[in-house]
Amino acid sequence: MKSRMEGYLEDCLLNKVDLRRQWISQMVEEVQKVVHHLTTEISYQDFRFQAVPYCDTYNENIKVLAPSLFLITVPMRGLAGYKEARQQRWRYYSLKGARLPRPLQDPEGLQQWLEVEQFLKSPGQWHEADVNIEGDIVPAKVLQVFRKLVENAIETCRLSGRVRMLIDHLVVRVVVETSAGQVELQLTPSVDIPTAWSKKAQWPSCLKRWPSPETVQCIKSFGFSLLACSSYHWQLSFLRAEQVLLEQLDEDGGCRRKCFQALRQMKEDVWCPGTRPVITSYHLQTVLFWTCEKYPNPKDWQVFSRGFLRLVRKLHKCVSQHFLKHYFVRKSNLLQYASSRELDALAQTLAFFLKDPQISLP
């Protein structure tokens, strides 16, 4: 006989997860129409930015971080034939053009410089001063150009009644009105590099049984991307590779995906709701990958309640320690800049749930 926890969680999957899927699908449908309209206009105004395509199925440029928080990657055009930088050099420039007395800090973790010479093909527009300083394509300069293009596109496309810019000095954020409510979008220019795997991503570790060698080879073939979301350094992103890993989760007939969906549902409904939660679906996805690697045996994922609680315990450990390693770039802590107060509050909530899951259920 199923316990109350098992019965509730299965009910959660059958009902709440389905409702969430329908709700999110509707918002994604409306959002991608707006984004496609805006970025088509932006692409017309500036060759370097590519329109985000409209897709009837999965759109790889839209990442749902929370029900009302989406990451939109806007592909950049014209750069091809990427290679790793051959040598390190000091940078003394500032965004305003002045020369600094000390060199800029080197990139850490998920960050790297991006030189125009790292591409075999780079049209003249990428050498212009509006995005380039001393041979570097500088994300803050790219964002400055992009922000102005977004502002103009909202007016040109007559979307000011549905879309408004948010004040953010680092990234480009807009709010879109949908039939299901407001959605905040982070619009992020992205340099896609499908022909290489980043040297910073020393993955997988030796002697790991999950994922399989065939899956690893497939995932690495999708390459990586560089996102413009800071001042001087580009951020490594592996959204395509991660999506392939998600799609191949349960090829052995396990319940990993259901456990992840239940974890996400409880996080959004009970543990960490809100428009800008300290823990997003991306953090939960990373928790899932680490747990799958630790428990590679198919028999570990046959009983739903055990798999679900395994994920909750891993999440509680990461939140308590304020430490969650990026799955591919393992020297990077995804919680490094998260609010300690919010993480501690969530850790307490999760500890209470784990002590007696039945009591914590709504």
Side-chain angles (χ1 to χ4, degrees):
M1 184 175 179
K2 294 178 182 177
S3 68
R4 182 185 168 212
M5 184 192 75
E6 291 174 322
Y8 172 82
L9 290 175
E10 288 193 12
D11 180 65
C12 165
L13 283 174
L14 292 172
N15 297 300
K16 289 194 171 186
V17 170
D18 277 345
L19 289 173
R20 179 193 186 276
R21 186 183 297 113
Q22 295 171 24
W23 177 41
I24 294 295
S25 294
Q26 178 62 34
M27 285 198 293
V28 168
E29 172 74 12
E30 296 182 39
V31 162
Q32 73 166 339
K33 286 181 179 178
V34 171
V35 169
H36 177 67
H37 197 181
L38 285 175
T39 55
T40 299
E41 174 61 25
I42 289 169
S43 180
Y44 177 74
Q45 296 298 330
D46 192 322
F47 158 84
R48 294 169 295 191
F49 299 92
Q50 190 172 327
V52 173
Y54 178 87
C55 302
D56 292 328
T57 54
Y58 172 75
N59 191 325
E60 67 178 14
N61 297 101
I62 300 177
K63 181 72 174 178
V64 179
L65 301 178
S68 56
L69 180 63
F70 294 6
L71 170 66
I72 312 294
T73 53
V74 181
M76 304 190 73
R77 187 161 42 197
L79 298 169
Y82 173 85
K83 58 184 182 295
E84 295 280 350
R86 293 183 179 178
Q87 59 184 11
Q88 293 183 336
R89 63 181 176 89
W90 299 113
R91 273 91 166 167
Y92 291 90
Y93 60 75
S94 71
L95 296 176
K96 294 183 179 179
R99 187 167 177 81
L100 303 173
R102 296 192 184 103
L104 290 167
Q105 182 179 347
D106 279 337
E108 300 176 351
L110 281 173
Q111 298 178 328
Q112 72 164 65
W113 303 108
L114 187 61
E115 302 174 32
V116 73
E117 290 185 356
Q118 287 181 248
F119 297 92
L120 297 175
K121 177 185 175 184
S122 56
Q125 293 94 327
W126 288 110
H127 297 257
E128 293 179 4
D130 62 344
V131 296
N132 192 309
I133 303 179
E134 297 181 7
D136 286 340
I137 302 172
V138 181
K141 301 279 281 184
V142 172
L143 286 167
Q144 188 176 28
V145 172
F146 183 62
R147 181 178 289 106
K148 186 63 178 177
L149 289 167
V150 172
E151 290 174 352
N152 292 341
I154 291 172
E155 295 299 322
T156 304
C157 298
R158 299 180 180 178
L159 289 170
S160 54
R162 291 191 61 194
V163 182
R164 61 182 173 86
M165 297 281 293
L166 293 178
I167 298 175
D168 193 315
H169 299 294
L170 194 58
V171 296
V172 177
R173 296 183 187 274
V174 301
V175 170
V176 177
E177 296 284 348
T178 73
S179 59
Q182 290 186 346
V183 182
E184 181 179 319
L185 311 182
Q186 178 179 325
L187 300 171
T188 305
S190 170
V191 178
D192 295 332
I193 303 170
T195 57
W197 184 256
S198 172
K199 288 185 177 180
K200 282 199 167 189
Q202 298 296 316
W203 175 87
S205 300
C206 296
L207 304 177
K208 293 297 181 183
R209 294 169 54 198
W210 188 93
S212 68
E214 295 78 17
T215 301
V216 169
Q217 187 175 0
C218 172
I219 286 169
K220 285 190 170 184
S221 72
F222 283 85
F224 67 107
S225 300
L226 294 169
L227 306 183
C229 51
S230 66
S231 296
Y232 296 97
H233 305 137
W234 292 78
Q235 180 175 306
L236 276 71
S237 170
F238 302 85
L239 293 177
R240 282 192 182 125
E242 289 158 351
Q243 183 59 32
V244 173
L245 197 51
L246 281 173
E247 289 172 355
Q248 299 184 13
L249 273 180
D250 292 322
E251 289 186 333
D252 57 9
C255 61
R256 298 170 187 83
R257 182 177 297 277
K258 285 187 177 181
C259 293
F260 170 69
Q261 290 173 329
L263 184 75
R264 184 180 61 194
Q265 197 70 44
M266 289 295 289
K267 195 280 298 184
E268 292 176 358
D269 288 353
V270 183
W271 301 330
C272 190
T275 54
R276 285 196 188 180
V278 67
I279 295 294
T280 67
S281 292
Y282 187 78
H283 294 110
L284 300 184
Q285 172 185 291
T286 306
V287 166
L288 171 67
F289 291 158
W290 281 117
T291 310
C292 288
E293 184 174 292
K294 185 176 181 180
Y295 297 93
N297 199 314
K299 71 178 183 181
D300 293 322
W301 299 97
Q302 296 304 313
V303 180
F304 170 79
S305 59
R306 292 178 186 173
F308 171 76
L309 289 176
R310 194 177 290 129
L311 291 179
V312 179
R313 284 192 291 269
K314 175 63 175 177
L315 177 61
H316 175 252
K317 179 181 179 181
C318 293
V319 170
S320 299
Q321 297 177 347
H322 300 188
F323 188 76
L324 173 59
K325 289 188 293 185
H326 189 279
Y327 187 60
F328 294 122
V329 183
R330 303 185 175 198
K331 291 182 180 180
S332 179
N333 176 17
L334 295 178
L335 299 180
Q336 182 175 354
Y337 302 108
S339 164
S340 296
R341 180 183 57 81
E342 291 181 67
L343 289 175
D344 290 341
L346 177 56
Q348 188 175 11
T349 299
L350 291 171
F352 183 72
F353 175 82
L354 287 168
K355 189 174 182 180
D356 188 349
Q358 296 186 29
I359 294 176
S360 301
L361 297 175

